[in-house]
Structures are given as structure tokens and as C-alpha cells.
Amino acid sequence: MKEISIRDIPNITIGQVEDPSAGTGVTVFISPAGMAAGLDVRGGGPASRETELLKPLAAAQVIHAVVLGGGSAFGLDAAGGVMQKLEEEGIGFPVGVTRVPLVCQSDIFDLGVGDCHTRPDKAMGYQAAQIALTQGGNYQDGNFGGGCGATVGKWKGMRNAMKSGIGSYAVQVGELQVGAVVIVNAIGDIYDPSAGKKIAGLLNDEKNGFLNTEAQMYQKIDIPENKFTGNTTIGIIITNGRFDKARLCKIAGMAHDGMARAIRPVHTTADGDSIYAVSVGEVAADQDITGTLAAEVLEKAIIRAIDSAESAYGLPSRRDLPKEMQ
């Protein structure tokens, strides 16, 4: 097994646009020929569009784009811009008079940083799609695209939170390629399982040490009147393995194991944790092996999102923590 770049996987291209002053953005994944896709949602508060297409009983066997963005439910307008650009390029499901691009989207809640009234819109979605289609993509880890306003460790609110971002990791085993891109915006803490330590999350008031989110939760078990819900970790597994959407739903579900290894707590009602899985190739591959790899690359993509983030909006990133915390 060797590490590759997420951009080494063919038949899919990634465009990103962000508005740093507003603290939001979008990351768009486009497969002009169409890609089989599945989805597994484990969080209790997702913001999404057209995800019903990915259920095994739905008629559509392929989609043309996935959008991971900010803006919570407001940001779902970005998919309209992606659709517009794809239609202009003749990409989509033929319906006689035109082609209808099938675009699914999931968003994080990033309204707590930057300008809460500026969100991804149709124009931003169009621009990201144009970058993906005409410039070969511009993917970067860190404070880019949908990860621009991502944060973690928010059980006590934004004052004790940290800056996160978007991260990727991909591997190749023989001819099989499996990669992950994830926007880490969790209410919980982030761990590096291989190092056996916490790397980001809830900070103490002095910002010189971590608090344990789970321990803080257990101190008071009363049901809060208005639980903070500014969270959600969303991602996508990309493989050149040949799978239909039913099997991709299972692979997406297995990928959540990587999220559970790296984020604690995870899959709460205050999160909208969602993982897509897409097939963009014809390599014969075992579903269980691919799903196991999906969990591994997602786990490592989460860690990379933390390591690549830069401090912003008054929130420190891991690279700017005191050395004894790194």
C-alpha cells in the first residue's frame, strides 16, 4: 500500500472557492461521465440536498457532482450554480430538451465565524464548478473550500473552540485506489489513534491545555433547553473500484468507523455527520477491503485537516498551540 494524492484518482475533478472574510466556502467534486454514489448519515442534524437520489431504491444509478460546503442549510443554494455550469457543458441526465445534472450536497454549520449573513450561493457554486471543469481543479488541504470556516471542540461554545479545515488522504493497493476528503467541524475532540493522543478540540479558558469534551458532558446530564448545534463533519470516499450505489452505501457506512476512531464524541444529535462514497473506475475490488481502506483514509484525512488548518477568526489551530500540547 502506498500513499497517493487525492488528485491522482482519475475521472473526477475538485474545485474549491472560499470567502475568508465571511468564513465559508464550497468544495465541488465533478465526474462528467457520471459516478455511482452512496451515502451514510450518522449525525442527527444534517443539512443536505438531493440525497434521496442515493438510496438503493431510487432510479438514478449515477450522479454528476457532490458539493461539500458551508453556510448550513442556507448554503445549499450552491448546488444550483453547479447545475447551471454542468448544463452549459452538456453534462447531465438527458431529458430531450436539455440535460439535468444530478448534484447532491451536504453542508457544515460555519455561521459562528466570519459573517453569518454571507453564505455559499449559486455564484460560488458556479465558480467552483468552472474551476473543476476548466482548470483541472485546485484542491488544497487547510482553510480552503468548504473547510474555510470549520472548527472543532465546541461543547462550551466558540470561546473554547479551535480552528480546523478540510483534509485529504489517499492510498493505492495494486490497481485499487481509495481516497477521502473530509471537512472536520465536530462538536467533539480530535484524536490521532496511531500516536495515542488528542490533537485538537475543547480548550481550557487559558488556552494552554485541553479539556475533555466527554468528561465535560458527563458533569451535567440534564437535557439542555437549546443544545449548541453548530457542527457536522462531512466527507467523501472516492475509489476507482467498481461498485453500485447499494455497495457504496455500505462502504460509506464502514468509513464512519474511521470518523469514530478520530472524533469523540461523534454522531451526536448536535452533528450532521455524513459520508458519501463514489465509484469513478472499473477496477474489480472486494467491498470489505475497500470499506476497511475507506475507514483508514478517512481517519488520516481528519488528522490532516487538523494539521493543515491555520489559525483564523480568533481561534487557534494546532500548529499555533503551545509546544507541550502538540
Side-chain angles (χ1 to χ4, degrees), residues 166-187:
I166 190 169
S168 66
Y169 195 87
V171 298
Q172 183 162 339
V173 181
E175 294 184 350
L176 177 65
Q177 297 173 321
V178 182
V181 176
V182 61
I183 300 171
V184 183
N185 195 59
I187 194 172

Side-chain angles (χ1 to χ4, degrees), residues 62-107:
V62 299
I63 62 172
H64 303 94
V66 172
V67 182
L68 302 180
S72 189
F74 294 110
L76 295 173
D77 287 345
V82 178
M83 289 187 69
Q84 180 182 342
K85 180 59 180 175
L86 293 180
E87 183 187 28
E88 290 174 2
E89 298 296 326
I91 298 169
F93 184 77
V95 292
V97 292
T98 188
R99 288 180 174 266
V100 179
L102 302 182
V103 179
C104 298
Q105 181 170 352
S106 291
D107 286 349

Side-chain angles (χ1 to χ4, degrees), residues 57-164:
L57 293 180
Q61 295 304 304
V62 299
I63 62 172
H64 303 94
V66 172
V67 182
L68 302 180
S72 189
F74 294 110
L76 295 173
D77 287 345
V82 178
M83 289 187 69
Q84 180 182 342
K85 180 59 180 175
L86 293 180
E87 183 187 28
E88 290 174 2
E89 298 296 326
I91 298 169
F93 184 77
V95 292
V97 292
T98 188
R99 288 180 174 266
V100 179
L102 302 182
V103 179
C104 298
Q105 181 170 352
S106 291
D107 286 349
I108 65 168
F109 187 105
D110 56 7
L111 304 180
V113 302
D115 177 10
C116 70
H117 297 294
T118 300
R119 306 110 180 192
D121 56 12
K122 188 174 181 179
M124 184 178 282
Y126 185 96
Q127 184 181 358
Q130 187 172 41
I131 289 170
L133 290 171
T134 64
Q135 299 180 25
N138 64 342
Y139 179 79
Q140 296 182 75
D141 296 325
N143 295 19
F144 300 100
C148 181
T151 52
V152 297
K154 292 170 281 189
W155 180 253
K156 297 182 69 174
M158 296 304 292
R159 183 176 181 275
N160 300 83
M162 282 182 61
K163 185 70 182 72
S164 179

